[in-house]
Each structure stands twice: as structure tokens, then as C-alpha cells.
Amino acid sequence: MDLSSFLTSLGTSFVIFLVLLILFAWLSSKPGNAVIYYPNRILKGLESVEGGSKTRHPFSWIHEALSSTEGDVISISGVDTAVYFVFLSTALGILVFSGVALLPILLPVAATDDSVMSVGSTTSNGSFHDLDKLSMGNVREQSPRLWPFLISTYWVSFVTYYLLWKAYNHVSALRAAALMCPEVKAEQFSVLVRDIPPVPEGLTRKQQVDSYFRTMYPETFYRSMVVTKNREVNKIWKELEGFKKKLAHAEAVYGESKAKGKPEGERPTNRTGFLGLIGHKVDSIEYYNEKISELIPKLESEQKVTLKEKQQASALIFFTSRVAASVAAQTLHARMGDTWTVMDAPESRELIWNNLTIKFFDRQIRQYVVYVVVAITVMFFMIPIGFISAFTTLENLKKYLPFLKPVVDIEAIKTVLEAYLPQIALLVFLALLPKFLLFLSKTEGIPCESHVIRATSGKYFYFTVFNVFIGVTVGGTLFSTFKTIQKDPHAIVEILATGLPGNATFFLTYVALK
């Protein structure tokens, strides 16, 4: 990539950033969008913005963000948001202390040498560009100018380790403070138990669980809630709620007709067939009331059957103190590790109820199968990404698709293609991954949404390392020098050492565009 393409890429990305920034500022200043941009403040009964919406201008959020303390962030959005800000500040610190501090030193050191031009050598793609003058590749072998680059490597490592250590200590303190908070949360007093053994004869599942934990924690056990198979109950409940909403709508229409038309009003009607288009015509209010009257006893009957006959081998156990719940979550409750497995209870809204009843050995098998699938997917994803990264360079496009040469040689098109084609191709491939990885993580049998997201993030990290950093750099370099490697396989190390620095501009524009 030449200098003009590189600057075009950075400049265009910056313009896109400014457009999105202005669009966000404009949309967030609209009172009607407050529920989208400031839901936490509204739920806490506060003004959507500091000082009220009347005094807000498009960039008020910048002042609010800079003036907010960590306590303000935690009180409004929770500890997770504060931890995310710690991550952002750590990344920014690494950038400032590494990049901003070293670039004024390293760029002049490299730019004032002329080894590449003097010896007539070339980069991996066969040509020397202005950008190469700013890299270590422009420094001659065994030159004293290499010492600043070596020292900078140790400096970047030191800065990274130190800032990560500080961030870890800070996040640990935030977590400890959150756990010691006097605010009472149900999940802090409860644990999730899975893999409950078969019910002894003469007992129900709830009696079995209550007896077991009351024996182990006689002073702190409060109660249990056994997980049940609620498929039929949920089906009836959803149908009942649907009729209640339709009844409310019909009554609202009827009330509006009284205000606008005749005093007695006009009662709404509907057809009982498919989508209300066919079937008998009935009075909507009477019809929905009849349906609700039919479903309520049916729901109550199904609930009794579910509580009695459809109890599963999993339960939530509640204690009278947080200490007891914490101890129970870290204690082995049976000699066999595949029974009475206990863990911290997640928030009720995060529970994945269908995964709670998956047995211990089933979860282990699922986990290994998912790992294999992820490993295979990583390897196979490298194939299309490697081909795309290789083909989307202009030299390879002109070589393997000669009919594009007249188009590619046009200066404006060439600049845009060099700036964006490889990066967009990679971003499109990576955009397909998160939902697939989320599905695989749920398949493992993980019981709560937060842990599923954490597992998905770990898998995505492997994809990023192996496909983006290794696949694009090594794959692209090897693909473009395949014939050379065939002739001299022992030269692969030298080829990689020569070719990999040429991918630096790709990652600069990739990060800027993303």
C-alpha cells in the first residue's frame, strides 16, 4: 500500500467517525430518544441528562462523561460499566505511553536512514513505498539505529504489564466493594444446585432437596425452589396474556367510540378464523372474556400438575446469610463429583432454564464436542480468509484476474481498493461469527447468559488471534511467495521476516476502519 492509499484510508475512516459522532449527538439530544440513550437514568427516576434536557446541547455528553466519577458510573449503570471503563482507560494508557511516547523517537531514527534505497532491495510485494521509510525495514543490518527499536520492545512490554497489573488490582477492589455492598440482592443469598440424584421412594423432589440441605445447613437453610418443566404452562400463559392484551385493546377502542360517536358506542368485532380474516364474526370483548375465563382454570390446573409431576434434577437453594451461600457455592456436597454440584446462583433474568437440567456427563461431552467444532471452524475459516487476504492485494488481482487490470490501474479506484478491500472482506467474515459462537456456547449447557457471553468472547479471541493476526499475515505472505518456497523450502524464515512487516499498514487501516 502506497502513502496516498494509506492516507486515504485513515482520512476516510476519520470522516466516517465524525459523521457517526454528529449523528449520535443529534439523535441523543432528541427528548423522544431518551429511553434509548439514557434508560438507566430514567429507571432510577433521574433526569435523562445532567441539568435536564432544556440545557443540553449536542456535545453535552462529553462534559458529562469527563466529569462523572467512578461512583456515579456505578450508581447509574453498575459495576460492569465501571470495569469496561477501566479496560478502555488501560488500553488508552498503553497507546499513550507506548505509541505516542515512542513514535517521535522511532520515526526519525528510521526515516533518516536510507539502507533500503541505497542497496536497491525491495519489500515483499516487489516495490518500495514511502511508508517503508518510516519502518525498521529502512534501517541497515547491524546498525546502531536498531538499539532504539530493541529498547522500545522492552518498554512496551513493561508498560503493558504494569498497566494490566494496576487494572487487575482496581477491578478486584471494585468487585470486593460490590460484594460487600449493604444492598440486598437475592442471588447473593442463593446457590444453584444441579445433578440431583434420583428421588428416594416415598419422597418428592422438593422434600428430598429440603431434607438434604437442611441437614447440611441446619441454621442457615431457608428454602428451596425446584426447577420444573414449564413448557405447557408457558404455552397456556402466553396464550392467556395474548387474549388479555387483545381485550384491553378492544375495550380501548370501545371507549374511544363512545367519546367520538354515539353515547352507547360501537362494540368492536372480529372473526375467529385464520388471522381474523375468516370464520364467524363475534363481539370482541365478549369473545376475549370467554377465552380468558376458559384459560385461567386450565392454567391453574396445569401449574399444579407441573409442580407435582414435572420437577427436574436442579434447584435454587436460599439461605439466611450471604456467608452461608458463599460457603455452599465453594463446597463439595457429595463423594461423587457428578452429583449435587453447586455453584453461585446467577440473577434470575440471566438463567437459561433449559440448560439447568442437562446432566453432568452430558455437559462434559457437549463441551468437548464444542471445542472440537470450534477448532475445526478456526482452521477452516483460515482458508477463505487466507485466500481473500492474498487475492485482495492489487498485485494479485491483476495477476490472477487480468481483465480487471484496466480498472484497477485507474488512480482513484486503485487508491480506494488498496485502502478498503482487504479490510472490508475480513470484517464481513468476522461479522458472521458472534451468533454462531453464541449458539455453540449455549449448547455446552452453561446455565446463565453472562457465562455464555464470556465463553463466546473466549472463542472469538481464538478466532481473532489465529485468523486475523496469524491467518492474514502468515497466510498472505506465504501465498504470495509460494513458488519461492517451493524452490527453496529452507528460505521460509527469511521470507517471513521480509514479508511480515509489509502487513503493518493493513492492520493500521483495519483498526482505523473498524
Side-chain angles (χ1 to χ4, degrees):
M1 180 183 294
D2 57 27
L3 183 61
S4 62
S5 298
F6 177 71
L7 295 178
T8 299
S9 175
L10 294 185
T12 310
S13 298
F14 184 71
V15 171
I16 294 172
F17 161 73
L18 288 179
V19 171
L20 294 177
L21 185 67
I22 294 171
L23 183 63
F24 162 77
W26 177 68
L27 290 174
S28 63
S29 65
K30 298 294 181 182
N33 293 335
V35 293
I36 298 174
Y37 291 99
Y38 313 103
N40 289 329
R41 295 185 63 87
I42 293 173
L43 288 174
K44 292 181 179 293
L46 303 173
E47 289 284 348
S48 60
V49 294
E50 295 291 343
S53 58
K54 292 182 180 179
T55 59
R56 181 179 179 82
H57 57 81
F59 294 99
S60 292
W61 62 271
I62 298 177
H63 174 264
E64 294 163 12
L66 295 176
S67 61
S68 298
T69 64
E70 191 170 67
D72 297 331
V73 173
I74 293 175
S75 65
I76 296 296
S77 300
V79 178
D80 288 346
T81 304
V83 171
Y84 185 64
F85 283 166
V86 172
F87 162 74
L88 290 179
S89 61
T90 303
L92 182 62
I94 294 173
L95 173 65
V96 171
F97 288 109
S98 299
V100 177
L102 293 176
L103 285 178
I105 300 173
L106 298 181
L107 291 181
V109 169
T112 52
D113 204 340
D114 57 353
S115 66
V116 176
M117 294 297 292
S118 62
V119 299
S121 60
T122 61
T123 58
S124 59
N125 60 8
S127 62
F128 181 79
H129 295 304
D130 291 336
L131 284 175
D132 295 317
K133 294 180 181 179
L134 304 177
S135 68
M136 189 173 65
N138 195 41
V139 180
R140 61 173 55 88
E141 294 183 7
Q142 299 182 355
S143 170
R145 292 171 180 260
L146 293 175
W147 280 105
F149 290 93
L150 178 63
I151 295 171
S152 66
T153 303
Y154 285 96
W155 170 253
V156 171
S157 300
F158 169 76
V159 166
T160 303
Y161 294 145
Y162 176 71
L163 292 180
L164 288 176
W165 173 72
K166 283 192 65 177
Y168 177 82
N169 288 338
H170 187 50
V171 170
S172 298
L174 287 177
R175 182 176 184 273
L179 291 175
M180 293 186 291
C181 177
E183 182 183 354
V184 175
K185 297 179 181 179
E187 62 270 13
Q188 295 177 342
F189 291 82
S190 57
V191 295
L192 173 65
V193 58
R194 307 164 79 184
D195 308 308
I196 301 174
V199 182
E201 189 175 351
L203 295 176
T204 63
R205 175 71 74 185
K206 182 169 177 57
Q207 290 172 339
Q208 175 198 20
V209 173
D210 287 350
S211 174
Y212 188 86
F213 280 92
R214 187 175 288 111
T215 301
M216 298 193 72
Y217 306 95
E219 297 180 358
T220 54
F221 173 75
Y222 176 57
R223 58 166 296 184
S224 68
M225 186 184 77
V226 178
V227 175
T228 55
K229 192 174 182 180
N230 291 346
R231 183 174 299 174
E232 292 300 322
V233 171
N234 290 340
K235 184 178 178 181
I236 299 171
W237 182 82
K238 288 179 181 178
E239 188 178 2
L240 177 61
E241 288 298 306
F243 282 121
K244 286 182 178 179
K245 290 180 181 178
K246 291 179 181 178
L247 175 62
H249 179 264
E251 289 177 340
V253 171
Y254 180 49
E256 189 176 351
S257 68
K258 286 183 179 181
K260 291 183 177 180
K262 300 177 182 179
E264 64 274 11
E266 183 179 352
R267 295 179 70 84
T269 60
N270 67 282
R271 295 186 181 275
T272 59
F274 178 73
L275 295 177
L277 301 175
I278 58 175
H280 296 292
K281 196 172 185 179
V282 295
D283 183 289
S284 297
I285 295 177
E286 292 180 359
Y287 177 72
Y288 294 143
N289 274 317
E290 289 175 5
K291 286 294 184 181
I292 291 172
S293 300
E294 292 175 7
L295 288 174
I296 288 176
K298 185 178 178 182
L299 176 63
E300 293 174 349
S301 174
E302 186 62 36
Q303 284 175 331
K304 292 178 181 177
V305 173
T306 299
L307 290 172
K308 186 177 181 181
E309 300 177 3
K310 298 181 181 180
Q311 294 181 336
Q312 305 297 302
S314 182
L316 289 166
I317 310 300
F318 298 90
F319 297 88
T320 57
S321 74
R322 286 189 281 192
V323 174
S326 180
V327 170
Q330 302 174 58
T331 302
L332 188 65
H333 288 78
R335 292 182 179 180
M336 300 300 294
D338 60 339
T339 58
W340 297 104
T341 56
V342 178
M343 60 176 288
D344 291 307
E347 294 183 40
S348 58
R349 60 181 177 174
E350 287 202 340
L351 282 167
I352 304 175
W353 296 96
N354 291 334
N355 285 355
L356 298 185
T357 56
I358 300 175
K359 296 181 180 179
F360 180 83
F361 287 108
D362 288 346
R363 297 198 300 272
Q364 298 298 313
I365 294 172
R366 284 168 177 250
Q367 191 176 40
Y368 291 131
V369 170
V370 167
Y371 286 164
V372 172
V373 171
V374 170
I376 293 174
T377 309
V378 167
M379 290 186 289
F380 277 91
F381 245 70
M382 289 182 69
I383 296 174
I385 287 180
F387 272 102
I388 285 179
S389 64
F391 274 115
T392 49
T393 61
L394 292 186
E395 289 76 11
N396 286 330
L397 282 175
K398 290 188 287 187
K399 181 179 179 181
Y400 296 105
L401 302 174
F403 62 89
L404 292 177
K405 188 174 181 180
V407 179
V408 170
D409 285 338
I410 299 174
E411 190 63 29
I413 296 178
K414 175 185 176 183
T415 301
V416 173
L417 289 178
E418 280 193 330
Y420 286 114
L421 190 59
Q423 293 87 337
I424 290 177
L426 182 58
L427 287 173
V428 169
F429 267 90
L430 293 179
L432 304 174
L433 280 176
K435 288 190 176 181
F436 174 66
L437 297 179
L438 194 67
F439 165 77
L440 289 180
S441 298
K442 284 187 177 180
T443 306
E444 289 184 45
I446 298 173
C448 73
E449 294 286 352
S450 293
H451 289 187
V452 166
I453 293 173
R454 184 174 65 184
T456 302
S457 300
K459 295 178 180 66
Y460 193 80
F461 172 77
Y462 295 133
F463 271 90
T464 302
V465 170
F466 287 101
N467 288 311
V468 179
F469 295 109
I470 297 179
V472 171
T473 55
V474 178
T477 302
L478 293 180
F479 188 88
S480 59
T481 57
F482 187 70
K483 291 184 178 180
T484 306
I485 295 173
Q486 276 185 319
K487 295 179 182 178
D488 185 10
H490 298 289
I492 186 171
V493 174
E494 184 179 350
I495 290 171
L496 287 176
T498 305
L500 288 180
N503 291 287
T505 53
F506 169 86
F507 284 106
L508 286 172
T509 53
Y510 171 77
V511 171
L513 179 61
K514 189 167 185 177

